[in-house]
Amino acid sequence: MAKYMLIMRATDESLAKFKDVDFAEAMNAMGKFNDELIHAGVLLAAEGLDDAQEGVVVDFTGETPVVTDGPYGETKELFNGFYLLDVASKEEAVEWAKRAPMTAGTKTEIRRVPTIDEFPQDNEWIQKERAWREQTGQL
């Protein structure tokens, strides 16, 4: 099994269409999808994000970090939420993503989440993180 993150990216088009969707209807569709993921035993986490207008950006392009109010960049650069799945393959992650009840125009980026075992085990910081993960029941 491997962890894959499904990153939901809204577009201007999908945000405009979502304004016309009944909120209770959207929550019902998302709840049913979440229930499928739970019953399949693949859901590790899922969260939606607050409006980008409420966020801040820490920009490291200069010599010192600069903090500005959100949103950052174009709508297509923002993501609105994510799912973290534990599935057998990228192909399985893709199949789940295709079933998500998203507004037309939304895009989903799928990325594998490397395990701690894939990093140099003789590194002091990896060893400390491993100890923390074991202590908190994550390993």
Side-chain angles (χ1 to χ4, degrees), residues 75-125:
T75 303
K76 66 183 179 183
E77 296 173 330
L78 301 175
F79 68 94
N80 297 5
F82 70 91
Y83 283 92
L84 186 59
L85 306 182
D86 190 14
V87 294
S89 65
K90 179 170 50 176
E91 292 74 23
E92 185 179 354
V94 168
E95 289 306 312
W96 279 111
K98 287 168 43 177
R99 294 171 61 184
M102 295 294 137
T103 306
T106 300
K107 296 180 180 183
T108 301
E109 180 180 345
I110 301 170
R111 308 224 353 231
R112 190 177 70 83
V113 179
T115 68
I116 194 168
D117 295 331
E118 296 177 60
F119 294 91
Q121 298 303 299
D122 60 349
N123 180 282
E124 168 190 6
W125 300 106

Side-chain angles (χ1 to χ4, degrees), residues 3-49:
K3 291 180 188 175
Y4 282 87
M5 181 175 274
L6 312 182
I7 303 165
M8 308 315 186
R9 294 187 185 278
T11 62
D12 290 333
E13 174 191 1
S14 66
L15 288 173
K17 288 180 181 179
F18 188 71
K19 289 178 183 177
D20 296 331
V21 174
D22 177 67
F23 186 74
E25 184 181 309
M27 290 297 98
N28 188 43
M30 195 60 66
K32 287 179 180 179
F33 179 67
N34 292 352
D35 197 50
E36 289 180 48
L37 293 168
I38 291 166
H39 281 89
V42 299
L43 183 64
L44 297 176
E47 299 292 342
L49 299 176

